[in-house]
Amino acid sequence: MTEKKRFAQVERTTNETQISIAINLDGGGKANIKTGVGFMDHMLDLFIKHGLFDGTIHANGDTYIDDHHTTEDLGIVLGQAIREALGDKKGIKRYGTAFVPMDDALAQVVVDCSNRPHLEYRVPALKEKVGTFDTELVHEFLWKFALEARMNVHVIVPYGHNTHHIIEAIFKALARAIDAAVKIDPRVKGVPSTKGLLT
């Protein structure tokens, strides 16, 4: 663990949403989640706990319309918060990968804290909804997260039947891949790049 506290708090207010996220990358999995979107509460709780972060994620959005704006802005602000918490990225491993099974489903997520944002989303067709949640918003969240975190994020689901299980496996794998990528390795001097920077 680095001596420098890797913590950030980011707020975003628009006419559609008010989002506040505080995250500690060197936490223990303590989550305080209240977004107004029940399914995202569940997914973000899993994300914090499986990443062994500490996170407070609160949102108030126009969910009387639908969950789109809130889910999209959660991805934006979470990405910004993790990017800010990472700081200059000195000493991190940079790359992380995780495979997570969830009953019938298997998800793999691979990340690179490269400052070159990209989302590769190779997921089979999902059922349109889980409860009242539009499952197309999973891609929207991940795309905005990758963009604002400035991470290269590859999401691969080779198989799975139950849509809830597939999405849950994705969020758990994302958390564990990021946890692996942001770990401090004492052998790394400076940033792990021949360019000399990752910012």
Side-chain angles (χ1 to χ4, degrees):
M1 184 180 296
T2 182
E3 293 179 2
K4 184 178 179 182
K5 191 172 184 181
R6 299 193 297 172
F7 171 87
Q9 182 165 356
V10 177
E11 296 183 356
R12 172 183 167 91
T13 298
T14 71
N15 291 334
E16 298 166 342
T17 64
Q18 299 83 46
I19 312 283
S20 176
I21 295 180
I23 193 160
N24 174 13
L25 297 179
D26 302 307
K30 296 178 183 176
N32 179 350
I33 315 292
K34 188 176 181 182
T35 70
V37 180
F39 189 73
M40 284 304 295
D41 284 357
H42 181 35
M43 293 303 108
L44 292 170
D45 184 61
L46 293 170
F47 176 82
I48 294 297
K49 290 181 179 176
H50 282 267
L52 292 175
F53 313 125
D54 288 339
T56 297
I57 302 175
H58 291 168
N60 181 28
D62 56 3
T63 54
Y64 62 89
I65 297 174
D66 64 11
D67 296 334
H68 184 103
H69 296 142
T70 300
T71 303
E72 177 182 35
D73 287 3
L74 283 165
I76 289 171
V77 180
L78 183 60
Q80 291 172 346
I82 289 179
R83 183 183 179 197
E84 184 178 323
L86 269 173
D88 59 16
K89 303 178 185 174
K90 288 181 179 177
I92 67 167
K93 286 182 173 288
R94 176 178 167 177
Y95 299 98
T97 186
F99 285 90
V100 170
M102 179 64 190
D103 295 350
D104 55 287
L106 179 69
Q108 179 188 19
V109 175
V110 185
V111 302
D112 176 10
C113 302
S114 61
N115 201 42
R116 292 190 306 277
H118 179 79
L119 174 65
E120 196 66 32
Y121 186 76
R122 303 203 176 186
V123 177
L126 302 173
K127 291 180 181 176
E128 187 176 339
K129 287 183 179 289
V130 175
T132 61
F133 183 80
D134 294 322
T135 59
E136 69 178 6
L137 295 178
V138 175
H139 179 276
E140 191 72 22
F141 173 90
L142 292 169
W143 171 41
K144 296 303 170 56
F145 172 82
L147 186 65
E148 296 296 335
R150 300 198 62 79
M151 284 186 186
N152 194 313
V153 179
H154 289 240
V155 178
I156 304 151
V157 176
Y159 52 82
H161 172 73
N162 182 281
T163 293
H164 186 129
H165 293 167
I166 291 170
I167 298 170
E168 185 164 327
I170 289 170
F171 272 82
K172 288 176 177 177
L174 176 67
R176 289 174 176 266
I178 292 172
D179 179 51
V182 304
K183 273 188 169 56
I184 298 295
D185 186 334
R187 298 171 299 172
V188 176
K189 308 303 178 188
V191 296
S193 170
T194 55
K195 293 181 174 65
L197 57 85
L198 286 171
T199 56

